[in-house]
Amino acid sequence: MEGVRHVFYVSDGTGITAETIGHSLLTQFNGIEFATRRIAFVDSLEKAESAVAEIRAAELASGLRPVVVNTVVDPDLNALLAASGALMLDAFEPFISPLERELGQKRQSRVGRAHGLVDFAAYEQRINATNYALTHDDGMDVHYDDADVILVGVSRSGKTPTCLYLALHYGVKAANYPLTIEDLEGRELPRRLRKHRSKLFGLTIDPVRLQQIRQERRPNSRYANLETCRAEVIAAEAMFRQENIPVLSTTHTSIEEISGKVLAQLGIHRHMF
Amino acid sequence: MEGVRHVFYVSDGTGITAETIGHSLLTQFNGIEFATRRIAFVDSLEKAESAVAEIRAAELASGLRPVVVNTVVDPDLNALLAASGALMLDAFEPFISPLERELGQKRQSRVGRAHGLVDFAAYEQRINATNYALTHDDGMDVHYDDADVILVGVSRSGKTPTCLYLALHYGVKAANYPLTIEDLEGRELPRRLRKHRSKLFGLTIDPVRLQQIRQERRPNSRYANLETCRAEVIAAEAMFRQENIPVLSTTHTSIEEISGKVLAQLGIHRHMF
């Protein structure tokens, strides 16, 4: 792996914070081949030593100094990691002093606590929302009184993963309704959606991309035919326009971004879990 | 809201990076009442001004200086946000110079790009894994040849949300198999699981907590009875021990942590999406 820049996300917890910030940083540099690796639950000298060994081996293999994005709180473990010789980026360190001054309090440095304890009420909200998404997926259950959001779009436009993401990360009850050929030929909003108009959000997608996705699912079917895809997308977009439903194309948008935009557009303010 | 410390996660993208790092920072301070709010897609002067107005209103209401965790890249928008008078914590700034020196390259400052472009292959992997989790949930489809992970446990021990999280965030094909009364009375690993032993991971849960969860689902049923819960959990844990299946209690563990530990234990190295 000569010439590859190794990046390690090292944490005493899951490593999600380190990986999130590290990934955001790396996308700001172009044309460099990065090899990234998360090393989670580094909460003992043995685990820190094994991480150091891995970091050193990567440097030997690539000939380039590795980068470590680090959220380990324990100073002894941090000293050990720093001895690896990698460029150490401590994801918390720059912010702790200003926060301590502002809040008039010293940080509590407990290993593995960076993500906080599990809050039963929050957990329940996520689980209930996930169950809701599962039972209200793909038009299965169309009683939407409890829904926070109803995603509407043609089959394979990205509704299901967005609903699950909204449930898992925001505890939002998200249902989704697939526009069928009959719905689209009717040229108006299906009756059962009408009374929930304020919760509706339309997803659309480039027909060529849709065709690729459907082709993988049901090769050479009428369903996966480019003309079918094009006709469905045109009819769905016309319906969204006519009914004044906010709409977003998922073609070049990540699940995270779709979810963020749906919540912003519908004015739903929820914390992320 | 006097005395409440307002914290804003402000971003030109989804705000996920700002919220992730900010949340990790706040959990390191105890006994302070925080009110947090994500302001996403701040990519114009108008949106920055509206964010500033909100930050100032929060300061007036609480009498305390707000904290802003910021991932906006555009310097003009940042200057505007800083004029709000809040404590500004720029989640990228401390790391950019060291990275620029190490990589021998200037950052590319494109608004809203911090999370990178959508990579079709990665998107497909997430979607396929999510479909896999949906079709292999709760013992629905028990053909596990394609599974990366099979979570095993009694009903409501946390298998489904963990599978969905593994799929959405790591593109891991995660199935789950609920241990039924018959399985537990058989006192040995169900036959269909035996050939996939290396993919198995057991979830367990405190019986009192399980009883609460089941009670909400089917009040006053035999299923939700504390004795039933206790007997099932004891039998499941005995089976995990006997069959040497790694096991984790979900009682005090977040979905993120459960997912992280499952991957670490089974030696599955995947990047987070």
Side-chain angles (χ1 to χ4, degrees):
Chain A
M1 298 259 271
E2 218 168 313
V4 169
R5 180 73 68 164
H6 287 272
V7 181
F8 293 89
Y9 305 126
V10 184
S11 172
D12 47 31
T14 59
I16 289 175
T17 303
E19 185 158 0
T20 304
I21 180 97
H23 178 70
S24 293
L25 288 167
L26 297 189
T27 57
Q28 299 181 50
F29 295 89
N30 288 339
I32 296 173
E33 197 185 341
F34 292 111
T36 63
R37 166 117 159 76
R38 186 173 16 89
I39 310 184
F41 308 109
V42 176
D43 51 11
S44 67
L45 286 174
E46 295 68 44
K47 288 185 188 163
E49 275 161 7
S50 132
V52 167
E54 210 176 316
I55 294 164
R56 287 202 169 127
E59 175 154 17
L60 274 177
S62 76
L64 289 173
R65 186 186 186 202
V67 175
V68 172
V69 182
N70 177 28
T71 58
V72 174
V73 170
D74 183 278
D76 293 339
L77 300 184
N78 270 328
L80 226 166
L81 291 167
S84 69
L87 174 68
M88 298 294 290
L89 303 177
D90 186 320
F92 296 147
E93 195 274 328
F95 310 114
I96 291 295
S97 297
L99 269 177
E100 286 182 340
R101 274 195 302 276
E102 184 63 43
L103 303 177
Q105 190 191 101
K106 288 270 162 204
R107 91 190 300 186
Q108 317 291 319
S109 306
R110 269 166 298 179
V111 172
R113 279 289 305 280
H115 281 279
L117 280 180
V118 178
D119 167 345
F120 278 166
Y123 188 80
E124 221 139 68
Q125 202 190 341
R126 298 175 80 169
I127 300 305
N128 287 342
T130 303
N131 287 336
Y132 189 89
L134 291 173
T135 50
H136 293 76
D137 184 39
D138 208 28
M140 253 191 287
D141 182 336
V142 293
H143 296 94
Y144 296 133
D145 287 347
D146 290 338
D148 298 309
V149 175
I150 307 162
L151 297 183
V152 185
V154 303
S155 170
R156 296 289 116 186
S157 53
K159 302 183 298 301
T160 297
T162 305
C163 284
L164 292 170
Y165 192 91
L166 285 168
L168 278 169
H169 285 275
Y170 297 100
V172 161
K173 288 187 173 159
N176 76 76
Y177 181 88
L179 290 171
T180 62
I181 307 280
E182 295 70 44
D183 292 330
L184 293 168
E185 281 172 351
R187 283 165 193 273
E188 56 180 21
L189 201 58
R191 189 181 306 253
R192 54 170 57 99
L193 296 180
R194 272 185 232 162
K195 64 171 168 167
H196 302 293
R197 189 176 293 259
S198 63
K199 301 175 182 176
L200 299 182
F201 194 101
L203 295 186
T204 191
I205 184 169
D206 175 67
V208 175
R209 175 73 189 133
L210 181 61
Q211 190 259 330
Q212 289 168 1
I213 296 172
R214 288 185 173 183
Q215 177 68 19
E216 212 185 289
R217 200 172 163 87
R218 287 197 223 149
N220 307 316
S221 61
R222 189 174 136 62
Y223 170 79
N225 180 287
L226 183 57
E227 279 322 301
T228 308
C229 292
R230 189 166 286 152
E232 287 187 24
V233 167
I234 288 172
E237 289 182 356
M239 183 186 290
F240 297 146
R241 255 194 318 274
Q242 177 192 304
E243 303 281 348
N244 228 339
I245 294 168
V247 59
L248 179 69
S249 168
T250 64
T251 315
H252 296 285
T253 316
S254 69
I255 297 167
E256 287 77 6
E257 272 187 290
I258 302 168
S259 303
K261 293 197 170 170
V262 168
L263 295 181
Q265 172 75 41
L266 297 183
I268 298 172
H269 301 302
R270 291 284 175 87
H271 303 153
M272 241 183 74
F273 293 119
Chain B
M1 298 260 270
E2 219 170 310
V4 169
R5 180 73 70 164
H6 287 272
V7 180
F8 293 90
Y9 306 125
V10 184
S11 173
D12 47 31
T14 58
I16 290 176
T17 303
E19 185 159 1
T20 303
I21 180 98
H23 178 70
S24 293
L25 288 168
L26 297 190
T27 58
Q28 299 181 51
F29 294 89
N30 288 340
I32 296 172
E33 197 184 342
F34 293 111
T36 63
R37 166 116 159 77
R38 188 173 13 90
I39 309 184
F41 308 111
V42 175
D43 51 11
S44 68
L45 285 174
E46 294 69 40
K47 288 185 188 164
E49 275 161 7
S50 132
V52 167
E54 212 176 315
I55 294 164
R56 286 201 170 130
E59 175 155 17
L60 274 178
S62 76
L64 289 172
R65 187 186 185 200
V67 175
V68 172
V69 182
N70 176 29
T71 58
V72 173
V73 171
D74 183 277
D76 293 340
L77 300 184
N78 270 328
L80 227 165
L81 291 168
S84 69
L87 173 68
M88 298 294 290
L89 303 178
D90 185 321
F92 295 147
E93 194 274 330
F95 311 113
I96 290 296
S97 297
L99 269 177
E100 286 183 340
R101 275 196 302 275
E102 183 64 44
L103 303 176
Q105 191 190 101
K106 287 271 161 205
R107 89 189 302 186
Q108 317 290 318
S109 306
R110 269 168 297 180
V111 173
R113 278 289 303 281
H115 283 277
L117 279 182
V118 177
D119 167 346
F120 278 166
Y123 188 80
E124 221 138 69
Q125 202 190 340
R126 297 176 80 169
I127 302 304
N128 288 342
T130 303
N131 287 334
Y132 189 88
L134 291 173
T135 51
H136 293 76
D137 184 39
D138 209 27
M140 254 192 287
D141 183 335
V142 293
H143 297 94
Y144 296 134
D145 287 348
D146 291 339
D148 297 309
V149 175
I150 308 163
L151 296 184
V152 185
V154 303
S155 170
R156 297 287 118 185
S157 53
K159 303 182 299 298
T160 297
T162 305
C163 283
L164 292 170
Y165 192 92
L166 285 167
L168 278 169
H169 285 276
Y170 297 99
V172 161
K173 288 187 173 159
N176 75 77
Y177 181 88
L179 291 171
T180 62
I181 307 280
E182 294 72 44
D183 293 329
L184 293 169
E185 282 171 350
R187 283 164 193 273
E188 58 180 20
L189 201 59
R191 189 182 306 255
R192 54 169 58 98
L193 296 180
R194 274 186 231 159
K195 65 171 169 168
H196 302 293
R197 191 176 293 259
S198 63
K199 301 174 182 176
L200 299 182
F201 194 101
L203 296 186
T204 191
I205 184 169
D206 175 66
V208 174
R209 175 74 189 133
L210 181 61
Q211 190 258 331
Q212 288 169 2
I213 297 172
R214 289 186 174 182
Q215 176 68 18
E216 213 185 289
R217 201 173 163 85
R218 287 196 225 148
N220 307 317
S221 61
R222 192 175 133 64
Y223 169 79
N225 180 287
L226 182 57
E227 279 322 300
T228 308
C229 293
R230 190 166 284 151
E232 287 188 23
V233 167
I234 289 172
E237 290 183 356
M239 182 187 288
F240 297 147
R241 255 194 317 273
Q242 177 192 305
E243 303 281 350
N244 228 340
I245 294 168
V247 59
L248 181 68
S249 168
T250 63
T251 315
H252 296 285
T253 318
S254 69
I255 298 169
E256 289 74 7
E257 274 187 287
I258 302 168
S259 303
K261 293 197 169 171
V262 167
L263 295 181
Q265 172 76 40
L266 298 182
I268 297 172
H269 300 302
R270 291 284 176 85
H271 303 155
M272 240 184 74
F273 293 119

